[in-house]
Amino acid sequence: MSFDADVITLFPDLFPGPLGASVLGRGMVDGLWSLKATQLRSFAHDRHHTVDDTPSGGGAGMVLKPDILAAAIDAIAPEDDPRPKILMSPRGKPLTQVRARELALGPGAVIVCGRFEGVDQRVIEARELEEISIGDYVLAGGEVAAMVLLEAVVRLIPGVLGGVDSHADESFENGLLEYPQYTRPQVFEGREIPAVLTSGDHGKIEKWRRERSVELTKARRPDLLEE
């Protein structure tokens, strides 16, 4: 079973973008996952293909219309489609490694890229859109956020990165930030690779890496230790 992603956007030409490069792109070619971008304006029936309108109650900007977006979602994901429907939104729950792994083990996702001031709340409720945020900031639209979500997910699909150990020790996989990494040359601008890493003693190496992970997490993300 492959991971099948559908993205609803006003800018389908942005995809696959970086998702089509390197190991992620090879995974797509190998059939481990697929990506289709759908133009939201295709579901608007007026002469100007209007997809937005002014906010009810006043205010700046425009809001994506619920009927147009619902038609797009329904065309891509009928009622029996098991894939979660996701809206990239700054007010959503933060994307975590845990959620990324859950999605990677599923059948795929339907991702809505918001624009303007947001999406009519009624379509969010009616189509049970899961709102996900990639950080405490606001972007011009959801396309880049969708790419971040998909990259975090696709790299976890079995076979995309190769061996199962490829991401076992990465940041957030075990509740800690990843330990520092080194490679040859042995000495770089007077800085040496820590001797323990070239000692051949795997027990000491594992202990060193664990200690460095704890130190980094305590210094940079103490909230992870509290959790």
Side-chain angles (χ1 to χ4, degrees):
M1 181 183 69
S2 68
F3 179 95
D4 298 318
D6 272 282
V7 176
I8 300 173
T9 171
L10 291 171
F11 301 97
D13 290 345
L14 293 178
F15 295 88
L19 300 172
S22 189
V23 293
L24 304 185
R26 288 199 295 272
M28 189 185 300
V29 172
D30 292 342
L32 298 176
W33 74 288
S34 68
L35 173 62
K36 179 182 177 183
T38 296
Q39 171 58 262
L40 178 60
R41 292 193 189 278
S42 299
F43 297 88
H45 303 297
D46 66 309
R47 186 172 54 146
H48 300 290
H49 300 287
T50 305
V51 298
D52 58 346
D53 208 335
T54 55
S56 297
M62 304 291 280
V63 177
L64 289 179
K65 294 166 63 66
D67 52 339
I68 304 301
L69 183 52
I73 294 171
D74 293 346
I76 290 169
E79 288 187 9
D80 60 349
D81 193 319
R83 296 176 297 172
K85 294 182 280 290
I86 297 169
L87 171 65
M88 305 311 303
S89 166
R91 72 177 194 181
K93 289 184 178 180
L95 175 63
T96 65
Q97 191 74 358
V98 170
R99 187 63 182 121
R101 185 168 293 284
E102 291 172 348
L103 290 168
L105 296 177
V110 177
I111 304 173
V112 175
C113 298
R115 277 276 158 177
F116 315 121
E117 288 303 306
V119 174
D120 189 299
Q121 181 66 28
R122 293 170 295 176
V123 73
I124 296 175
E125 296 170 357
R127 296 302 182 270
E128 299 181 332
L129 301 185
E130 175 188 356
E131 296 184 67
I132 292 182
S133 168
I134 63 166
D136 295 340
Y137 46 84
V138 179
L139 302 172
E143 286 76 18
V144 171
M147 292 180 190
V148 169
L149 170 68
L150 284 172
E151 178 158 337
V153 170
V154 168
R155 64 189 300 278
L156 296 175
I157 295 172
V160 170
L161 288 191
V164 295
D165 295 332
S166 297
H167 41 70
D169 293 330
E170 292 177 333
S171 294
F172 311 113
E173 283 291 346
N174 57 10
L176 298 171
L177 299 183
E178 187 178 7
Y179 47 80
Q181 297 280 10
Y182 299 86
T183 190
R184 290 183 289 269
Q186 178 68 28
V187 180
F188 166 69
E189 295 184 350
R191 295 173 171 83
E192 293 193 26
I193 297 174
V196 65
L197 297 180
T198 56
S199 67
D201 189 323
H202 296 292
K204 288 183 178 179
I205 292 172
E206 183 65 27
K207 182 174 182 290
W208 181 90
R209 286 175 169 171
R210 174 75 180 183
E211 290 173 348
R212 300 295 82 74
S213 285
V214 171
E215 286 178 0
L216 280 170
T217 305
K218 186 180 295 184
R220 300 179 183 180
R221 292 292 304 275
D223 57 297
L224 293 177
L225 292 177
E226 292 171 6
E227 293 175 5

